[in-house]
Amino acid sequence: EPEVTQTPSHQVTQMGQEVILRCVPISNHLYFYWYRQILGQKVEFLVSFYNNEISEKSEIFDDQFSVERPDGSNFTLKIRSTKLEDSAMYFCASRETTHTQYFGPGTRLTVL
Amino acid sequence: DAKTTQPPSMDCAEGRAANLPCNHSTISGNEYVYWYRQIHSQGPQYIIHGLKNNETNEMASLIITEDRKSSTLILPHATLRDTAVYYCIVRPESPRGGKLIFGQGTELSVKP
């Protein structure tokens, strides 16, 4: 069964450093999403992406964040200058034209 | 903000049916009811969704009241591996967007 994959599973970085989180969505999917979950809190929407542009973003998704689909398979989330409060699980999700989103296993980002 | 209300926690005996309620009294005519679950800090896992008819798949059944203001997710024979946080989410079918707004969910504990 096809699934969303994410790398790395755990990323540790120093405050102020740039990080790139990578996702490989399910191959025939067209809509892509990033969510995050701070430890002990609920899953929060960050951004949705379709047809090579952002369709919607939340207040959390400020200028420090960017997304890209650099090729036909990868979908990335970049945080330009990480802060302590960016420490969280980051989940990628994708869907085809039908509406069910499928989530990846997540990347745990730890900012020191 | 989440437009659903769920009990924060429930217990269920292994092998018995788990019935998880959800109130969505402000649901609109074009909004679907989705159920996801999250085991520990893994990525949310899709379970089932419906608009107004009851639905069943290999994982669960979804019963939606006639007025669509509430629904129940049924796990017919709960196992220990069904211990997770279960999220009830309502969202419209949007061709471009489609973000999921997660609440706190119901923490289901399946006990031997």
PDB file of all heavy atoms in Angstrom, chain B residues 25-64:
ATOM      1  N   SER B  25     -22.772  19.975  16.098  1.00  0.00           N
ATOM      2  CA  SER B  25     -24.111  20.559  15.940  1.00  0.00           C
ATOM      3  C   SER B  25     -24.158  21.702  14.936  1.00  0.00           C
ATOM      4  O   SER B  25     -25.231  22.056  14.457  1.00  0.00           O
ATOM      5  CB  SER B  25     -24.635  21.031  17.298  1.00  0.00           C
ATOM      6  OG  SER B  25     -23.753  21.967  17.866  1.00  0.00           O
ATOM      7  N   THR B  26     -23.020  22.291  14.609  1.00  0.00           N
ATOM      8  CA  THR B  26     -23.021  23.415  13.656  1.00  0.00           C
ATOM      9  C   THR B  26     -22.575  22.983  12.263  1.00  0.00           C
ATOM     10  O   THR B  26     -22.225  23.819  11.430  1.00  0.00           O
ATOM     11  CB  THR B  26     -22.100  24.537  14.153  1.00  0.00           C
ATOM     12  OG1 THR B  26     -20.763  24.026  14.284  1.00  0.00           O
ATOM     13  CG2 THR B  26     -22.574  25.072  15.499  1.00  0.00           C
ATOM     14  N   ILE B  27     -22.608  21.697  11.995  1.00  0.00           N
ATOM     15  CA  ILE B  27     -22.142  21.187  10.705  1.00  0.00           C
ATOM     16  C   ILE B  27     -22.975  21.760   9.564  1.00  0.00           C
ATOM     17  O   ILE B  27     -24.203  21.926   9.685  1.00  0.00           O
ATOM     18  CB  ILE B  27     -22.151  19.649  10.699  1.00  0.00           C
ATOM     19  CG1 ILE B  27     -21.373  19.093   9.513  1.00  0.00           C
ATOM     20  CG2 ILE B  27     -23.584  19.120  10.750  1.00  0.00           C
ATOM     21  CD1 ILE B  27     -21.138  17.591   9.593  1.00  0.00           C
ATOM     22  N   SER B  28     -22.318  22.074   8.473  1.00  0.00           N
ATOM     23  CA  SER B  28     -23.017  22.598   7.296  1.00  0.00           C
ATOM     24  C   SER B  28     -23.325  21.468   6.322  1.00  0.00           C
ATOM     25  O   SER B  28     -22.752  20.388   6.407  1.00  0.00           O
ATOM     26  CB  SER B  28     -22.139  23.631   6.569  1.00  0.00           C
ATOM     27  OG  SER B  28     -21.819  24.695   7.414  1.00  0.00           O
ATOM     28  N   GLY B  29     -24.214  21.763   5.375  1.00  0.00           N
ATOM     29  CA  GLY B  29     -24.682  20.732   4.468  1.00  0.00           C
ATOM     30  C   GLY B  29     -23.603  20.096   3.611  1.00  0.00           C
ATOM     31  O   GLY B  29     -23.717  18.943   3.215  1.00  0.00           O
ATOM     32  N   ASN B  30     -22.530  20.841   3.327  1.00  0.00           N
ATOM     33  CA  ASN B  30     -21.486  20.309   2.458  1.00  0.00           C
ATOM     34  C   ASN B  30     -20.274  19.797   3.230  1.00  0.00           C
ATOM     35  O   ASN B  30     -19.235  19.528   2.639  1.00  0.00           O
ATOM     36  CB  ASN B  30     -21.032  21.380   1.462  1.00  0.00           C
ATOM     37  CG  ASN B  30     -20.326  22.535   2.155  1.00  0.00           C
ATOM     38  OD1 ASN B  30     -20.465  22.731   3.371  1.00  0.00           O
ATOM     39  ND2 ASN B  30     -19.549  23.287   1.402  1.00  0.00           N
ATOM     40  N   GLU B  31     -20.400  19.707   4.544  1.00  0.00           N
ATOM     41  CA  GLU B  31     -19.267  19.261   5.354  1.00  0.00           C
ATOM     42  C   GLU B  31     -19.345  17.766   5.650  1.00  0.00           C
ATOM     43  O   GLU B  31     -20.396  17.244   6.018  1.00  0.00           O
ATOM     44  CB  GLU B  31     -19.191  20.049   6.663  1.00  0.00           C
ATOM     45  CG  GLU B  31     -18.744  21.490   6.455  1.00  0.00           C
ATOM     46  CD  GLU B  31     -18.581  22.231   7.762  1.00  0.00           C
ATOM     47  OE1 GLU B  31     -19.463  22.096   8.640  1.00  0.00           O
ATOM     48  OE2 GLU B  31     -17.571  22.957   7.906  1.00  0.00           O
ATOM     49  N   TYR B  32     -18.212  17.125   5.478  1.00  0.00           N
ATOM     50  CA  TYR B  32     -18.082  15.712   5.782  1.00  0.00           C
ATOM     51  C   TYR B  32     -17.587  15.542   7.218  1.00  0.00           C
ATOM     52  O   TYR B  32     -16.890  16.403   7.759  1.00  0.00           O
ATOM     53  CB  TYR B  32     -17.089  15.046   4.835  1.00  0.00           C
ATOM     54  CG  TYR B  32     -17.624  14.784   3.449  1.00  0.00           C
ATOM     55  CD1 TYR B  32     -17.902  15.826   2.572  1.00  0.00           C
ATOM     56  CD2 TYR B  32     -17.831  13.482   3.004  1.00  0.00           C
ATOM     57  CE1 TYR B  32     -18.385  15.578   1.297  1.00  0.00           C
ATOM     58  CE2 TYR B  32     -18.304  13.221   1.731  1.00  0.00           C
ATOM     59  CZ  TYR B  32     -18.592  14.279   0.874  1.00  0.00           C
ATOM     60  OH  TYR B  32     -19.067  14.035  -0.378  1.00  0.00           O
ATOM     61  N   VAL B  33     -17.866  14.380   7.768  1.00  0.00           N
ATOM     62  CA  VAL B  33     -17.319  14.001   9.074  1.00  0.00           C
ATOM     63  C   VAL B  33     -16.185  13.017   8.826  1.00  0.00           C
ATOM     64  O   VAL B  33     -16.385  11.978   8.171  1.00  0.00           O
ATOM     65  CB  VAL B  33     -18.392  13.349   9.964  1.00  0.00           C
ATOM     66  CG1 VAL B  33     -17.781  12.962  11.312  1.00  0.00           C
ATOM     67  CG2 VAL B  33     -19.577  14.296  10.154  1.00  0.00           C
ATOM     68  N   TYR B  34     -15.010  13.352   9.306  1.00  0.00           N
ATOM     69  CA  TYR B  34     -13.836  12.495   9.179  1.00  0.00           C
ATOM     70  C   TYR B  34     -13.394  12.013  10.561  1.00  0.00           C
ATOM     71  O   TYR B  34     -13.496  12.742  11.545  1.00  0.00           O
ATOM     72  CB  TYR B  34     -12.660  13.270   8.565  1.00  0.00           C
ATOM     73  CG  TYR B  34     -12.708  13.384   7.078  1.00  0.00           C
ATOM     74  CD1 TYR B  34     -13.531  14.319   6.451  1.00  0.00           C
ATOM     75  CD2 TYR B  34     -11.920  12.563   6.283  1.00  0.00           C
ATOM     76  CE1 TYR B  34     -13.572  14.412   5.072  1.00  0.00           C
ATOM     77  CE2 TYR B  34     -11.954  12.650   4.905  1.00  0.00           C
ATOM     78  CZ  TYR B  34     -12.783  13.581   4.305  1.00  0.00           C
ATOM     79  OH  TYR B  34     -12.821  13.675   2.942  1.00  0.00           O
ATOM     80  N   TRP B  35     -12.882  10.800  10.588  1.00  0.00           N
ATOM     81  CA  TRP B  35     -12.270  10.282  11.809  1.00  0.00           C
ATOM     82  C   TRP B  35     -10.839   9.864  11.498  1.00  0.00           C
ATOM     83  O   TRP B  35     -10.582   9.150  10.520  1.00  0.00           O
ATOM     84  CB  TRP B  35     -13.062   9.095  12.360  1.00  0.00           C
ATOM     85  CG  TRP B  35     -14.317   9.486  13.062  1.00  0.00           C
ATOM     86  CD1 TRP B  35     -15.532   9.749  12.493  1.00  0.00           C
ATOM     87  CD2 TRP B  35     -14.489   9.660  14.475  1.00  0.00           C
ATOM     88  NE1 TRP B  35     -16.444  10.078  13.472  1.00  0.00           N
ATOM     89  CE2 TRP B  35     -15.838  10.027  14.692  1.00  0.00           C
ATOM     90  CE3 TRP B  35     -13.645   9.535  15.576  1.00  0.00           C
ATOM     91  CZ2 TRP B  35     -16.352  10.275  15.969  1.00  0.00           C
ATOM     92  CZ3 TRP B  35     -14.140   9.779  16.840  1.00  0.00           C
ATOM     93  CH2 TRP B  35     -15.490  10.145  17.031  1.00  0.00           C
ATOM     94  N   TYR B  36      -9.939  10.326  12.347  1.00  0.00           N
ATOM     95  CA  TYR B  36      -8.543   9.927  12.309  1.00  0.00           C
ATOM     96  C   TYR B  36      -8.167   9.457  13.715  1.00  0.00           C
ATOM     97  O   TYR B  36      -8.840   9.773  14.697  1.00  0.00           O
ATOM     98  CB  TYR B  36      -7.631  11.110  11.945  1.00  0.00           C
ATOM     99  CG  TYR B  36      -7.597  11.457  10.488  1.00  0.00           C
ATOM    100  CD1 TYR B  36      -8.625  12.193   9.901  1.00  0.00           C
ATOM    101  CD2 TYR B  36      -6.533  11.060   9.681  1.00  0.00           C
ATOM    102  CE1 TYR B  36      -8.594  12.515   8.551  1.00  0.00           C
ATOM    103  CE2 TYR B  36      -6.488  11.386   8.331  1.00  0.00           C
ATOM    104  CZ  TYR B  36      -7.520  12.109   7.784  1.00  0.00           C
ATOM    105  OH  TYR B  36      -7.483  12.425   6.450  1.00  0.00           O
ATOM    106  N   ARG B  37      -7.084   8.730  13.802  1.00  0.00           N
ATOM    107  CA  ARG B  37      -6.545   8.393  15.114  1.00  0.00           C
ATOM    108  C   ARG B  37      -5.032   8.580  15.098  1.00  0.00           C
ATOM    109  O   ARG B  37      -4.406   8.550  14.057  1.00  0.00           O
ATOM    110  CB  ARG B  37      -6.905   6.972  15.525  1.00  0.00           C
ATOM    111  CG  ARG B  37      -6.187   5.873  14.785  1.00  0.00           C
ATOM    112  CD  ARG B  37      -6.638   4.519  15.299  1.00  0.00           C
ATOM    113  NE  ARG B  37      -5.930   3.418  14.651  1.00  0.00           N
ATOM    114  CZ  ARG B  37      -6.205   2.133  14.871  1.00  0.00           C
ATOM    115  NH1 ARG B  37      -7.177   1.794  15.723  1.00  0.00           N
ATOM    116  NH2 ARG B  37      -5.525   1.198  14.267  1.00  0.00           N
ATOM    117  N   GLN B  38      -4.485   8.786  16.290  1.00  0.00           N
ATOM    118  CA  GLN B  38      -3.057   8.986  16.431  1.00  0.00           C
ATOM    119  C   GLN B  38      -2.572   8.118  17.584  1.00  0.00           C
ATOM    120  O   GLN B  38      -3.018   8.266  18.726  1.00  0.00           O
ATOM    121  CB  GLN B  38      -2.738  10.458  16.679  1.00  0.00           C
ATOM    122  CG  GLN B  38      -1.263  10.774  16.652  1.00  0.00           C
ATOM    123  CD  GLN B  38      -0.966  12.250  16.829  1.00  0.00           C
ATOM    124  OE1 GLN B  38      -1.730  12.992  17.444  1.00  0.00           O
ATOM    125  NE2 GLN B  38       0.150  12.698  16.293  1.00  0.00           N
ATOM    126  N   ILE B  39      -1.666   7.230  17.250  1.00  0.00           N
ATOM    127  CA  ILE B  39      -1.078   6.333  18.232  1.00  0.00           C
ATOM    128  C   ILE B  39       0.255   6.924  18.666  1.00  0.00           C
ATOM    129  O   ILE B  39       1.126   7.153  17.832  1.00  0.00           O
ATOM    130  CB  ILE B  39      -0.890   4.918  17.642  1.00  0.00           C
ATOM    131  CG1 ILE B  39      -2.253   4.352  17.244  1.00  0.00           C
ATOM    132  CG2 ILE B  39      -0.173   4.011  18.631  1.00  0.00           C
ATOM    133  CD1 ILE B  39      -2.191   3.056  16.465  1.00  0.00           C
ATOM    134  N   HIS B  40       0.391   7.192  19.953  1.00  0.00           N
ATOM    135  CA  HIS B  40       1.557   7.883  20.515  1.00  0.00           C
ATOM    136  C   HIS B  40       1.802   9.153  19.701  1.00  0.00           C
ATOM    137  O   HIS B  40       0.908   9.940  19.541  1.00  0.00           O
ATOM    138  CB  HIS B  40       2.793   6.964  20.528  1.00  0.00           C
ATOM    139  CG  HIS B  40       2.623   5.779  21.405  1.00  0.00           C
ATOM    140  ND1 HIS B  40       2.393   5.882  22.757  1.00  0.00           N
ATOM    141  CD2 HIS B  40       2.624   4.463  21.132  1.00  0.00           C
ATOM    142  CE1 HIS B  40       2.263   4.676  23.272  1.00  0.00           C
ATOM    143  NE2 HIS B  40       2.396   3.790  22.305  1.00  0.00           N
ATOM    144  N   SER B  41       2.967   9.364  19.190  1.00  0.00           N
ATOM    145  CA  SER B  41       3.251  10.571  18.400  1.00  0.00           C
ATOM    146  C   SER B  41       3.399  10.238  16.927  1.00  0.00           C
ATOM    147  O   SER B  41       4.032  10.972  16.184  1.00  0.00           O
ATOM    148  CB  SER B  41       4.535  11.231  18.914  1.00  0.00           C
ATOM    149  OG  SER B  41       4.344  11.727  20.206  1.00  0.00           O
ATOM    150  N   GLN B  42       2.776   9.143  16.504  1.00  0.00           N
ATOM    151  CA  GLN B  42       2.835   8.784  15.094  1.00  0.00           C
ATOM    152  C   GLN B  42       1.953   9.723  14.277  1.00  0.00           C
ATOM    153  O   GLN B  42       1.149  10.483  14.831  1.00  0.00           O
ATOM    154  CB  GLN B  42       2.375   7.338  14.905  1.00  0.00           C
ATOM    155  CG  GLN B  42       3.268   6.327  15.588  1.00  0.00           C
ATOM    156  CD  GLN B  42       2.738   4.914  15.439  1.00  0.00           C
ATOM    157  OE1 GLN B  42       1.997   4.605  14.502  1.00  0.00           O
ATOM    158  NE2 GLN B  42       3.103   4.040  16.352  1.00  0.00           N
ATOM    159  N   GLY B  43       2.073   9.660  12.975  1.00  0.00           N
ATOM    160  CA  GLY B  43       1.224  10.469  12.120  1.00  0.00           C
ATOM    161  C   GLY B  43      -0.231  10.057  12.244  1.00  0.00           C
ATOM    162  O   GLY B  43      -0.543   8.879  12.423  1.00  0.00           O
ATOM    163  N   PRO B  44      -1.157  11.015  12.167  1.00  0.00           N
ATOM    164  CA  PRO B  44      -2.576  10.653  12.199  1.00  0.00           C
ATOM    165  C   PRO B  44      -2.909   9.646  11.109  1.00  0.00           C
ATOM    166  O   PRO B  44      -2.436   9.755   9.980  1.00  0.00           O
ATOM    167  CB  PRO B  44      -3.273  11.994  11.970  1.00  0.00           C
ATOM    168  CG  PRO B  44      -2.309  13.018  12.480  1.00  0.00           C
ATOM    169  CD  PRO B  44      -0.954  12.466  12.121  1.00  0.00           C
ATOM    170  N   GLN B  45      -3.739   8.692  11.487  1.00  0.00           N
ATOM    171  CA  GLN B  45      -4.133   7.626  10.577  1.00  0.00           C
ATOM    172  C   GLN B  45      -5.601   7.792  10.216  1.00  0.00           C
ATOM    173  O   GLN B  45      -6.460   7.869  11.099  1.00  0.00           O
ATOM    174  CB  GLN B  45      -3.903   6.266  11.240  1.00  0.00           C
ATOM    175  CG  GLN B  45      -4.308   5.078  10.386  1.00  0.00           C
ATOM    176  CD  GLN B  45      -4.243   3.761  11.161  1.00  0.00           C
ATOM    177  OE1 GLN B  45      -4.282   3.733  12.384  1.00  0.00           O
ATOM    178  NE2 GLN B  45      -4.150   2.667  10.427  1.00  0.00           N
ATOM    179  N   TYR B  46      -5.891   7.813   8.937  1.00  0.00           N
ATOM    180  CA  TYR B  46      -7.274   7.929   8.476  1.00  0.00           C
ATOM    181  C   TYR B  46      -8.042   6.667   8.863  1.00  0.00           C
ATOM    182  O   TYR B  46      -7.544   5.535   8.731  1.00  0.00           O
ATOM    183  CB  TYR B  46      -7.296   8.111   6.960  1.00  0.00           C
ATOM    184  CG  TYR B  46      -8.661   7.902   6.337  1.00  0.00           C
ATOM    185  CD1 TYR B  46      -9.648   8.869   6.443  1.00  0.00           C
ATOM    186  CD2 TYR B  46      -8.950   6.728   5.654  1.00  0.00           C
ATOM    187  CE1 TYR B  46     -10.897   8.674   5.879  1.00  0.00           C
ATOM    188  CE2 TYR B  46     -10.191   6.525   5.085  1.00  0.00           C
ATOM    189  CZ  TYR B  46     -11.164   7.499   5.200  1.00  0.00           C
ATOM    190  OH  TYR B  46     -12.401   7.306   4.637  1.00  0.00           O
ATOM    191  N   ILE B  47      -9.276   6.858   9.344  1.00  0.00           N
ATOM    192  CA  ILE B  47     -10.109   5.702   9.672  1.00  0.00           C
ATOM    193  C   ILE B  47     -11.286   5.609   8.706  1.00  0.00           C
ATOM    194  O   ILE B  47     -11.457   4.616   8.018  1.00  0.00           O
ATOM    195  CB  ILE B  47     -10.647   5.801  11.122  1.00  0.00           C
ATOM    196  CG1 ILE B  47      -9.490   5.869  12.125  1.00  0.00           C
ATOM    197  CG2 ILE B  47     -11.542   4.598  11.427  1.00  0.00           C
ATOM    198  CD1 ILE B  47      -9.930   6.149  13.550  1.00  0.00           C
ATOM    199  N   ILE B  48     -12.097   6.656   8.652  1.00  0.00           N
ATOM    200  CA  ILE B  48     -13.347   6.586   7.902  1.00  0.00           C
ATOM    201  C   ILE B  48     -13.908   7.988   7.748  1.00  0.00           C
ATOM    202  O   ILE B  48     -13.522   8.898   8.497  1.00  0.00           O
ATOM    203  CB  ILE B  48     -14.347   5.655   8.632  1.00  0.00           C
ATOM    204  CG1 ILE B  48     -15.458   5.158   7.708  1.00  0.00           C
ATOM    205  CG2 ILE B  48     -14.901   6.332   9.884  1.00  0.00           C
ATOM    206  CD1 ILE B  48     -16.247   3.983   8.306  1.00  0.00           C
ATOM    207  N   HIS B  49     -14.780   8.184   6.785  1.00  0.00           N
ATOM    208  CA  HIS B  49     -15.472   9.456   6.690  1.00  0.00           C
ATOM    209  C   HIS B  49     -16.857   9.237   6.089  1.00  0.00           C
ATOM    210  O   HIS B  49     -17.116   8.200   5.463  1.00  0.00           O
ATOM    211  CB  HIS B  49     -14.685  10.503   5.903  1.00  0.00           C
ATOM    212  CG  HIS B  49     -14.694  10.299   4.419  1.00  0.00           C
ATOM    213  ND1 HIS B  49     -13.926   9.341   3.789  1.00  0.00           N
ATOM    214  CD2 HIS B  49     -15.354  10.955   3.433  1.00  0.00           C
ATOM    215  CE1 HIS B  49     -14.112   9.410   2.480  1.00  0.00           C
ATOM    216  NE2 HIS B  49     -14.975  10.377   2.237  1.00  0.00           N
ATOM    217  N   GLY B  50     -17.740  10.235   6.276  1.00  0.00           N
ATOM    218  CA  GLY B  50     -19.085  10.135   5.732  1.00  0.00           C
ATOM    219  C   GLY B  50     -19.743  11.493   5.637  1.00  0.00           C
ATOM    220  O   GLY B  50     -19.312  12.459   6.269  1.00  0.00           O
ATOM    221  N   LEU B  51     -20.791  11.551   4.847  1.00  0.00           N
ATOM    222  CA  LEU B  51     -21.542  12.793   4.682  1.00  0.00           C
ATOM    223  C   LEU B  51     -22.863  12.710   5.431  1.00  0.00           C
ATOM    224  O   LEU B  51     -23.130  13.513   6.313  1.00  0.00           O
ATOM    225  CB  LEU B  51     -21.799  13.065   3.203  1.00  0.00           C
ATOM    226  CG  LEU B  51     -22.529  14.366   2.865  1.00  0.00           C
ATOM    227  CD1 LEU B  51     -21.720  15.573   3.327  1.00  0.00           C
ATOM    228  CD2 LEU B  51     -22.818  14.455   1.373  1.00  0.00           C
ATOM    229  N   LYS B  52     -23.701  11.753   5.086  1.00  0.00           N
ATOM    230  CA  LYS B  52     -24.956  11.611   5.827  1.00  0.00           C
ATOM    231  C   LYS B  52     -25.365  10.155   6.014  1.00  0.00           C
ATOM    232  O   LYS B  52     -26.096   9.841   6.951  1.00  0.00           O
ATOM    233  CB  LYS B  52     -26.080  12.385   5.160  1.00  0.00           C
ATOM    234  CG  LYS B  52     -26.286  12.104   3.701  1.00  0.00           C
ATOM    235  CD  LYS B  52     -27.356  13.024   3.146  1.00  0.00           C
ATOM    236  CE  LYS B  52     -27.533  12.803   1.663  1.00  0.00           C
ATOM    237  NZ  LYS B  52     -28.546  13.687   1.083  1.00  0.00           N
ATOM    238  N   ASN B  53     -24.867   9.280   5.154  1.00  0.00           N
ATOM    239  CA  ASN B  53     -25.188   7.861   5.318  1.00  0.00           C
ATOM    240  C   ASN B  53     -24.191   7.203   6.260  1.00  0.00           C
ATOM    241  O   ASN B  53     -23.059   7.647   6.396  1.00  0.00           O
ATOM    242  CB  ASN B  53     -25.141   7.161   3.969  1.00  0.00           C
ATOM    243  CG  ASN B  53     -26.193   7.705   3.023  1.00  0.00           C
ATOM    244  OD1 ASN B  53     -27.297   8.036   3.428  1.00  0.00           O
ATOM    245  ND2 ASN B  53     -25.825   7.832   1.760  1.00  0.00           N
ATOM    246  N   ASN B  54     -24.625   6.148   6.881  1.00  0.00           N
ATOM    247  CA  ASN B  54     -23.702   5.358   7.690  1.00  0.00           C
ATOM    248  C   ASN B  54     -22.679   4.698   6.777  1.00  0.00           C
ATOM    249  O   ASN B  54     -22.989   4.339   5.643  1.00  0.00           O
ATOM    250  CB  ASN B  54     -24.477   4.312   8.493  1.00  0.00           C
ATOM    251  CG  ASN B  54     -25.450   4.956   9.464  1.00  0.00           C
ATOM    252  OD1 ASN B  54     -25.289   6.110   9.854  1.00  0.00           O
ATOM    253  ND2 ASN B  54     -26.464   4.211   9.849  1.00  0.00           N
ATOM    254  N   GLU B  55     -21.470   4.568   7.270  1.00  0.00           N
ATOM    255  CA  GLU B  55     -20.394   3.990   6.484  1.00  0.00           C
ATOM    256  C   GLU B  55     -19.697   2.900   7.285  1.00  0.00           C
ATOM    257  O   GLU B  55     -19.629   2.965   8.511  1.00  0.00           O
ATOM    258  CB  GLU B  55     -19.365   5.068   6.113  1.00  0.00           C
ATOM    259  CG  GLU B  55     -19.906   6.235   5.329  1.00  0.00           C
ATOM    260  CD  GLU B  55     -20.265   5.895   3.893  1.00  0.00           C
ATOM    261  OE1 GLU B  55     -19.819   4.842   3.399  1.00  0.00           O
ATOM    262  OE2 GLU B  55     -20.995   6.704   3.260  1.00  0.00           O
ATOM    263  N   THR B  56     -19.177   1.926   6.566  1.00  0.00           N
ATOM    264  CA  THR B  56     -18.419   0.853   7.206  1.00  0.00           C
ATOM    265  C   THR B  56     -17.240   0.504   6.319  1.00  0.00           C
ATOM    266  O   THR B  56     -17.365   0.469   5.099  1.00  0.00           O
ATOM    267  CB  THR B  56     -19.297  -0.398   7.411  1.00  0.00           C
ATOM    268  OG1 THR B  56     -20.330  -0.095   8.329  1.00  0.00           O
ATOM    269  CG2 THR B  56     -18.482  -1.561   7.966  1.00  0.00           C
ATOM    270  N   ASN B  57     -16.094   0.296   6.948  1.00  0.00           N
ATOM    271  CA  ASN B  57     -14.947  -0.252   6.224  1.00  0.00           C
ATOM    272  C   ASN B  57     -14.291  -1.301   7.109  1.00  0.00           C
ATOM    273  O   ASN B  57     -14.865  -1.721   8.126  1.00  0.00           O
ATOM    274  CB  ASN B  57     -13.982   0.843   5.767  1.00  0.00           C
ATOM    275  CG  ASN B  57     -13.348   1.609   6.922  1.00  0.00           C
ATOM    276  OD1 ASN B  57     -13.329   1.139   8.066  1.00  0.00           O
ATOM    277  ND2 ASN B  57     -12.855   2.788   6.633  1.00  0.00           N
ATOM    278  N   GLU B  58     -13.104  -1.717   6.715  1.00  0.00           N
ATOM    279  CA  GLU B  58     -12.462  -2.810   7.434  1.00  0.00           C
ATOM    280  C   GLU B  58     -12.017  -2.416   8.829  1.00  0.00           C
ATOM    281  O   GLU B  58     -11.725  -3.255   9.661  1.00  0.00           O
ATOM    282  CB  GLU B  58     -11.278  -3.348   6.636  1.00  0.00           C
ATOM    283  CG  GLU B  58     -10.135  -2.359   6.448  1.00  0.00           C
ATOM    284  CD  GLU B  58     -10.354  -1.394   5.302  1.00  0.00           C
ATOM    285  OE1 GLU B  58     -11.434  -1.422   4.680  1.00  0.00           O
ATOM    286  OE2 GLU B  58      -9.435  -0.594   5.040  1.00  0.00           O
ATOM    287  N   MET B  59     -11.942  -1.120   9.090  1.00  0.00           N
ATOM    288  CA  MET B  59     -11.474  -0.664  10.396  1.00  0.00           C
ATOM    289  C   MET B  59     -12.613  -0.365  11.353  1.00  0.00           C
ATOM    290  O   MET B  59     -12.510  -0.611  12.563  1.00  0.00           O
ATOM    291  CB  MET B  59     -10.631   0.607  10.259  1.00  0.00           C
ATOM    292  CG  MET B  59      -9.269   0.402   9.649  1.00  0.00           C
ATOM    293  SD  MET B  59      -8.311   1.932   9.628  1.00  0.00           S
ATOM    294  CE  MET B  59      -7.994   2.179  11.369  1.00  0.00           C
ATOM    295  N   ALA B  60     -13.694   0.232  10.831  1.00  0.00           N
ATOM    296  CA  ALA B  60     -14.699   0.781  11.737  1.00  0.00           C
ATOM    297  C   ALA B  60     -16.007   1.035  11.005  1.00  0.00           C
ATOM    298  O   ALA B  60     -16.093   0.908   9.783  1.00  0.00           O
ATOM    299  CB  ALA B  60     -14.177   2.096  12.320  1.00  0.00           C
ATOM    300  N   SER B  61     -16.994   1.421  11.802  1.00  0.00           N
ATOM    301  CA  SER B  61     -18.269   1.890  11.264  1.00  0.00           C
ATOM    302  C   SER B  61     -18.514   3.305  11.760  1.00  0.00           C
ATOM    303  O   SER B  61     -18.091   3.665  12.866  1.00  0.00           O
ATOM    304  CB  SER B  61     -19.428   0.991  11.723  1.00  0.00           C
ATOM    305  OG  SER B  61     -19.301  -0.294  11.180  1.00  0.00           O
ATOM    306  N   LEU B  62     -19.179   4.083  10.920  1.00  0.00           N
ATOM    307  CA  LEU B  62     -19.517   5.460  11.270  1.00  0.00           C
ATOM    308  C   LEU B  62     -21.027   5.600  11.178  1.00  0.00           C
ATOM    309  O   LEU B  62     -21.615   5.348  10.117  1.00  0.00           O
ATOM    310  CB  LEU B  62     -18.829   6.436  10.317  1.00  0.00           C
ATOM    311  CG  LEU B  62     -19.188   7.907  10.450  1.00  0.00           C
ATOM    312  CD1 LEU B  62     -18.848   8.429  11.836  1.00  0.00           C
ATOM    313  CD2 LEU B  62     -18.460   8.726   9.379  1.00  0.00           C
ATOM    314  N   ILE B  63     -21.612   5.975  12.301  1.00  0.00           N
ATOM    315  CA  ILE B  63     -23.048   6.196  12.355  1.00  0.00           C
ATOM    316  C   ILE B  63     -23.288   7.694  12.502  1.00  0.00           C
ATOM    317  O   ILE B  63     -22.808   8.308  13.469  1.00  0.00           O
ATOM    318  CB  ILE B  63     -23.687   5.460  13.564  1.00  0.00           C
ATOM    319  CG1 ILE B  63     -23.272   3.980  13.569  1.00  0.00           C
ATOM    320  CG2 ILE B  63     -25.198   5.612  13.537  1.00  0.00           C
ATOM    321  CD1 ILE B  63     -23.727   3.195  12.373  1.00  0.00           C
ATOM    322  N   ILE B  64     -23.998   8.269  11.552  1.00  0.00           N
ATOM    323  CA  ILE B  64     -24.295   9.706  11.580  1.00  0.00           C
ATOM    324  C   ILE B  64     -25.793   9.863  11.814  1.00  0.00           C
ATOM    325  O   ILE B  64     -26.605   9.224  11.130  1.00  0.00           O
ATOM    326  CB  ILE B  64     -23.890  10.387  10.258  1.00  0.00           C
ATOM    327  CG1 ILE B  64     -22.397  10.161   9.987  1.00  0.00           C
ATOM    328  CG2 ILE B  64     -24.207  11.882  10.289  1.00  0.00           C
ATOM    329  CD1 ILE B  64     -21.918  10.666   8.636  1.00  0.00           C
TER     330      ILE B  64
END
